[in-house]
Amino acid sequence: MRVVEVQADDRELIGKIYKNEIESFGAMGGADMWMIMSFIRYGKLYVLLDDEDNLLSVAQYQGIMGKNEAFLYGFSTSLKERGKGYGKILLEDTHKKLKKLGIDKVYLTVDPKNKVAIDMYEKNGYMIEELQKDEYGKGVHRYLMVKILM
Ligand SMILES: CC(C)(COP(=O)(O)OP(=O)(O)OC[C@H]1O[C@@H](n2cnc3c(N)ncnc32)[C@H](O)[C@@H]1OP(=O)(O)O)[C@@H](O)C(=O)NCCC(=O)NCCS
């Protein structure tokens, strides 16, 4: 198993990432091809692959302009691979990579009802900073979570 930074010419892998976005997030919140290419070229898109190059987990980061901070736009594990510890591995590994790039703080937002994800982030050191009411439309609330990278 290994963590890979996705490159713009790796079209086969990008295809798998796009499929996983639809499977993991449905119509709302997933990244389309425009966003995926933007994360690859202007942010960081990391994946955890198994030894046969099957996609296990995906992490999509954007840099925050003028600050040593990043926003974790999207994070998911392939449907059939969930609950096996892969999300935890990718989160920890990519934070080390970001720290080496000079990033000191990571933000993310999560559905307040998404207990599985909130638990994972809290165990990883994220804290809930605020409730963003109606952030993505009426009734679509988010928790803003933040972690200082050590
Ligand atoms: C949230 C998600 C990324 C977790 O990935 P994962 O690879 O299944 O997570 P892991 O197996 O590494 O587990 C990490 C932690 O998540 C929590 N967790 C994972 N599966 C769980 C389950 N079925 N029930 C309760 N908690 C669970 C636990 O706190 C776990 O820590 P533990 O193993 O010490 O108990 C995955 O469920 C997912 O892709 N969900 C859909 C997309 C999504 O909601 N992404 C987050 C958007 S902000």
Side-chain angles (χ1 to χ4, degrees):
M1 173 186 336
R2 65 197 200 284
V3 175
V4 169
E5 181 184 343
V6 182
Q7 303 300 318
D9 59 358
D10 199 344
R11 292 292 156 163
E12 195 186 331
L13 182 52
I14 291 168
K16 290 182 193 173
I17 293 165
Y18 180 61
K19 244 182 89 185
N20 172 69
E21 288 298 303
I22 295 166
E23 198 178 82
S24 288
F25 296 102
M28 269 208 326
D32 60 24
M33 279 302 287
W34 277 255
M35 295 168 76
I36 289 170
M37 294 313 293
S38 171
F39 296 131
I40 292 170
R41 292 191 189 278
Y42 311 111
K44 290 287 174 197
L45 202 166
Y46 296 109
V47 292
L48 182 67
L49 300 176
D50 71 10
D51 296 339
E52 279 83 49
D53 283 350
N54 294 305
L55 185 65
L56 300 175
S57 295
V58 180
Q60 299 153 338
Y61 294 96
Q62 297 174 312
I64 300 175
M65 272 190 255
K67 296 182 175 180
N68 296 332
E69 297 174 359
F71 178 67
L72 176 54
Y73 174 85
F75 192 86
S76 60
T77 293
S78 299
L79 201 51
K80 60 180 189 311
E81 305 292 354
R82 288 182 191 166
K84 300 179 185 174
Y86 297 137
K88 191 178 156 187
I89 292 170
L90 186 64
L91 210 48
E92 282 172 6
D93 188 278
T94 56
H95 286 166
K96 282 185 198 146
K97 288 179 166 40
L98 292 186
K99 184 71 189 171
K100 278 189 193 152
L101 292 171
I103 299 294
D104 297 322
K105 211 176 191 184
V106 181
Y107 292 91
L108 62 83
T109 75
V110 59
D111 182 342
K113 293 193 254 11
N114 192 346
K115 196 176 159 6
V116 169
I118 293 167
D119 282 357
M120 178 184 67
Y121 293 134
E122 283 184 333
K123 281 180 192 166
N124 188 264
Y126 282 87
M127 309 253 285
I128 295 172
E129 185 145 296
E130 64 179 54
L131 173 67
Q132 298 177 322
K133 275 199 95 195
D134 301 321
E135 178 71 0
Y136 294 135
K138 194 107 191 87
V140 189
H141 313 313
R142 305 292 285 180
Y143 275 144
L144 175 68
M145 299 188 80
V146 61
K147 178 181 176 180
I148 309 285
L149 299 186
M150 299 294 179

